[in-house]
Amino acid sequence: MTDLDVVVVGGGPTGCSAGVFTARYGLRTTIFDRGAAALPRCAYLENYPGFPAGIDVETFSRLLHAQAEEAGCSVVPEMVESVERDGDGFAVETSEGRQITATYVVAATWYDGSFLRPLGGDEMFETHDHGGETHEHFDPDYADDDGRTPVDGLYVAAPAGERTVQAVIAAGNGAHVARSLLFDHRCAEGYPEGVAAHYDWLRGDADFTGEWAERDRWREWFASEVEVDPADDDRVRERREQYIDDAFETYVPPEEAEQRAERGVRRLVDVVGPERVLDALDDDAIREYLDGN
């Protein structure tokens, strides 16, 4: 058994988005981040959705890491030096001499990707001349558009050419590649391809009313999406019941949604800093709030 299910190399928008998806699915996930991502080169981030007047990069990075940890990731401030094959998985070594094993590796860092060389050698890299000097870079076409590579269990979300150069696109690509990983993982768990895709969302009342409140309706839908009749295959039937269990576990009643919303705001303030939030408020608005409470 490996130490971890997933090692993500890179703790920027790409890596944290990937880690949130794999950890929320239940895979033991660690993100290694040496703190030298491309994002700090940005003076101020103004084009990421959800921040009306933009956000400073340091705060944004803290929010990324806090969410990854909230999802169940460990975030380790070390650089991955090398990734090698270890049986059916991988052996990962860091700059601090840490050695761990993992079933999957997601490359999600903008630097040259040399830590992957033990897995594929020169075929992973391309060279070009610039200013009379020869430079070597990880080949952005080594992985396909979904992040899969010729090395089983290795996924590349970055470097990925133009998909790496804007934070919001990088985050989306990290999530997309993580979903590719989860699709493959679920297929290995016995889910037929027709139902192997994983959608990470919480459902409200509308998704569990009428016929969809009944397990038999879900069983009918499942049977329509797979090629094997669950009645003829014990494993597929078992996966069907697990699929339905998982679907019903995503239900969040209105009162719980409100509690989550309140906690979400509190965590946001915790990370941003209560003093910064208070400093941003008008004194009269604070007094009015206190007088009303």
Side-chain angles (χ1 to χ4, degrees), residues 81-181:
E81 294 277 8
S82 68
V83 178
E84 300 182 11
R85 264 297 182 200
D86 183 64
D88 293 333
F90 301 93
V92 178
E93 184 170 355
T94 75
S95 55
E96 302 299 318
R98 188 190 303 260
Q99 296 182 335
I100 57 173
T101 57
T103 304
Y104 305 106
V105 169
V106 178
T109 180
W110 72 287
Y111 61 92
D112 62 12
S114 59
F115 63 95
L116 295 175
R117 182 175 286 280
L119 294 175
D122 291 340
E123 67 186 64
M124 288 183 163
F125 298 86
E126 60 180 10
T127 59
H128 70 275
D129 292 328
H130 180 71
E133 297 182 355
T134 300
H135 297 268
E136 181 182 77
H137 298 282
F138 188 83
D139 184 354
D141 295 324
Y142 183 74
D144 66 18
D145 288 342
D146 297 319
R148 296 183 177 92
T149 73
V151 180
D152 187 33
L154 172 66
Y155 299 80
V156 176
E162 288 300 306
R163 284 171 291 176
T164 306
V165 300
Q166 297 277 267
V168 64
I169 301 171
N173 194 53
H176 179 73
V177 172
R179 290 191 69 235
S180 298
L181 184 159

Side-chain angles (χ1 to χ4, degrees), residues 31-64:
I31 298 171
F32 287 99
D33 179 33
R34 70 170 180 169
L39 191 61
R41 298 165 63 188
C42 174
Y44 189 73
L45 184 60
E46 291 190 327
N47 61 0
Y48 202 97
F51 302 100
I55 185 170
D56 66 280
V57 170
E58 181 181 351
T59 300
F60 179 68
S61 295
R62 291 205 311 271
L63 289 167
L64 287 177

